[in-house]
């Protein structure tokens, strides 16, 4: 499975001090990233939570698409990317610019009217013009109140003590779904794929966050509670080693 390098690398990585977790840095010309395009129409902006949920599902859907598997058209670029830093660069688009990126290789996910499209990763310097012209920052969405999360979908908890733009949060929840998927078995993945890799994104209270944190034994947290942490490399917005997301697996019900 194309995400196995994540399981091997990050499951142990979580137990290391932040200064020991970095992979060798690529030269600027070799930096690879997955573009995640957030549809943000001016007249009808999406809700923050459904947009993040769409981005999280789309990022994973690209990785597990049949075209990303051995022999597929996307296999080489996805494999090359997963073998290094799983960087994602979220950009916003609307109108004709959104239509243009929908013609590029990738997967679009819609959640409650909010749309995100994850594109096949590649070298940042090779980004298509349709992507490079899109802005990374400049728009924000207000916090919403999505209500209790469904019990039968994986759950992504955003760190309540860290401020993140919607673009940063979109990248982080995408990391979360990928890490979860890398640790699941074939049957669990098949069920999740049948539900379109849907997940819930929520912001816990400080007490809930503290109770969920993996602590000194991240392996035990995964075995007991199905929780794994996304710890940021610190390239943008947050300090290196910051836990931005806790991804918690809950079994997907067939036909959900």
């Amino acid at each position: 499975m194309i995400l196995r390098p994540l399981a091997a690398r990050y499951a142990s990585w979580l137990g290391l001090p932040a200064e020991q977790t970095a992979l060798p840095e690529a030269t600027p010309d070799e930096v690879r990233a997955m573009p995640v395009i957030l549809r943000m129409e001016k007249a009808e902006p999406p809700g923050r939570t459904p947009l993040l949920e769409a981005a999280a599902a789309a990022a994973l859907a690209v990785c597990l698409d049949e075209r990303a598997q051995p022999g597929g058209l996307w296999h080489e670029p996805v494999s090359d990317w997963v073998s290094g830093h799983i960087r994602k660069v979220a950009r916003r688009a609307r109108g004709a610019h959104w239509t243009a990126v929908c013609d590029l290789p990738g997967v679009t996910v819609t959640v409650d009217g909010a749309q995100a499209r994850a594109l096949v990763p590649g070298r940042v310097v090779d980004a298509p013009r349709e992507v490079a012209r899109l802005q990374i920052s400049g728009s924000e969405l207000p916090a919403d109140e999505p209500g209790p999360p469904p019990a039968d979908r994986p759950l992504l908890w955003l760190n309540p003590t860290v401020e993140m733009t919607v673009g940063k949060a979109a990248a982080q929840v995408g990391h979360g779904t990928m890490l979860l998927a890398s640790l699941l078995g074939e049957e669990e993945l098949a069920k999740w794929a049948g539900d379109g890799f849907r997940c819930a994104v929520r912001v816990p209270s400080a007490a809930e966050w503290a109770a969920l944190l993996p602590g000194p034994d991240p392996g035990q947290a995964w075995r007991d509670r199905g929780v794994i942490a996304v710890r940021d490399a610190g390239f943008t917005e947050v300090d290196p080693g910051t836990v931005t997301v806790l991804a918690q697996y809950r079994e997907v019900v067939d036909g959900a």
Side-chain angles (χ1 to χ4, degrees):
M1 197 260 280
I2 200 166
L3 295 178
R4 288 303 175 211
L6 290 184
R9 189 166 74 242
Y10 285 96
S12 59
W13 180 81
L14 290 170
L16 295 174
E19 64 272 12
Q20 297 180 25
T21 61
L23 288 168
E25 184 57 65
T27 62
D29 286 349
E30 292 299 324
V31 172
R32 297 176 182 274
M34 170 185 278
V36 179
I37 314 303
L38 309 176
R39 186 176 188 181
M40 300 178 68
E41 300 290 346
K42 184 178 293 187
E44 297 184 26
R48 183 183 177 95
T49 294
L51 186 62
L52 294 179
E53 292 176 350
L60 180 57
V62 167
C63 297
L64 298 186
D65 190 282
E66 61 180 13
R67 290 165 287 186
Q69 307 319 304
L73 188 62
W74 299 353
H75 178 70
E76 184 175 351
V78 173
S79 180
D80 288 347
W81 173 64
V82 170
S83 296
H85 291 293
I86 54 169
R87 284 177 172 167
K88 297 178 182 71
V89 178
R91 299 175 185 266
R92 57 189 175 92
R94 61 173 180 259
H97 287 180
W98 170 258
T99 301
V101 296
C102 286
D103 290 332
L104 299 174
V107 176
T108 297
V109 172
T110 303
V111 176
D112 295 337
Q115 290 187 300
R117 183 171 181 82
L119 302 180
V120 174
R123 297 195 314 165
V124 172
V125 295
D126 295 332
R129 176 176 174 273
E130 295 90 341
V131 173
R133 69 187 178 184
L134 301 176
Q135 292 189 358
I136 296 175
S137 60
S139 289
E140 195 45 68
L141 295 170
D144 51 10
E145 297 183 7
D152 57 356
R153 281 186 176 143
L155 179 56
L156 305 171
W157 298 102
L158 291 168
N159 189 332
T161 68
V162 175
E163 290 188 14
M164 291 183 281
T165 64
V166 68
K168 179 69 173 181
Q172 298 303 299
V173 294
H175 297 343
T177 51
M178 288 177 61
L179 285 171
L180 276 182
S182 76
L183 298 174
L184 298 180
E186 291 184 6
E187 183 177 350
E188 295 164 317
L189 281 176
K191 287 183 179 180
W192 200 4
D195 194 33
F197 301 114
R198 289 288 302 274
C199 56
V201 174
R202 296 294 187 272
V203 179
S205 67
E208 289 172 326
W209 177 263
L212 285 166
L213 277 172
D217 185 356
Q220 192 68 37
W222 173 249
R223 291 188 294 271
D224 290 350
R225 307 194 304 279
V227 173
I228 191 166
V230 176
R231 193 156 72 176
D232 195 68
F235 293 122
T236 61
E237 294 193 26
V238 302
D239 294 331
T242 300
V243 175
T244 55
V245 171
L246 294 176
Q248 184 175 25
Y249 182 71
R250 282 103 61 83
E251 186 174 0
V252 178
V253 176
D254 284 325

